[in-house]
Amino acid sequence: MLFSHKHWQVSVVGWDDGSIGCVAEVTAPGESFSVWTFPDGAVQLQFYSSAWSFGEGETADLGVQIDRRAPWNLTGAELYQNSVLFYLPDDQAGVNFISEVARGNRLFLRDADGADVQNYSLAGSSASIGALIECGEVITDPTPGNPFN
């Protein structure tokens, strides 16, 4: 763990294949909302619930609303076992979404029809997103092939 603030924790994660990622997450018993960053610059949202059981290969269109701001559409989110996974676009919309998470108080996950599925506290998200960005910058720094250049 790199950082902890209020309900949030930021960690660097390494897998058996040698790949790494950074994650900022807020958890409650059996539930979590996570924002992942990877060395290629990709940013992925993960909504997890021990009550969900999706299997593999399915997708769904979902909605996310932060506080009372305009809702976001997560079109084609991947449903995988106990998780809903969604890669943010690598553009201003992705930056705007992360900014809303950092400034928000509560995130609401909804189905395509707008019915509430789950909600998550964003208390501590601003400092945690800052720590996540710092972690992401460290893991994406290119290692020079020749240190003498």
Side-chain angles (χ1 to χ4, degrees):
M1 180 177 15
L2 302 173
F3 183 79
S4 178
H5 186 62
K6 296 189 180 179
H7 297 111
W8 285 77
Q9 290 185 342
V10 178
S11 305
V12 64
V13 178
W15 289 276
D16 292 340
D17 66 0
S19 60
I20 60 172
C22 299
V23 61
E25 65 184 339
V26 59
T27 59
E31 311 285 333
S32 67
F33 165 59
S34 309
V35 180
W36 290 85
T37 61
F38 299 101
D40 65 359
V43 177
Q44 184 182 49
L45 306 178
Q46 178 181 15
F47 302 92
Y48 170 88
S49 175
S50 58
W52 300 337
S53 181
F54 298 119
E56 293 181 33
E58 296 180 57
T59 62
D61 295 339
L62 308 170
V64 170
Q65 186 171 12
I66 298 166
D67 300 331
R68 294 184 179 184
R69 294 183 179 97
W72 294 84
N73 295 317
L74 306 184
T75 305
E78 179 185 358
L79 306 179
Y80 179 76
Q81 298 179 1
N82 301 92
S83 296
V84 173
L85 304 167
F86 185 80
Y87 281 97
L88 288 179
D90 186 20
D91 60 14
Q92 191 60 44
V95 171
N96 291 348
F97 181 86
I98 293 298
S99 294
E100 280 194 24
V101 169
R103 292 190 321 263
N105 296 307
R106 186 148 298 271
L107 182 146
F108 300 92
L109 177 64
R110 298 194 169 111
D111 67 16
D113 297 325
D116 285 336
V117 173
Q118 187 56 270
N119 66 80
Y120 308 89
S121 170
L122 297 179
S125 60
S126 181
S128 298
I129 294 296
L132 177 69
I133 290 168
E134 287 179 23
C135 180
E137 288 171 352
V138 169
I139 67 171
T140 57
D141 276 347
T143 303
N146 182 345
F148 300 106
N149 283 341

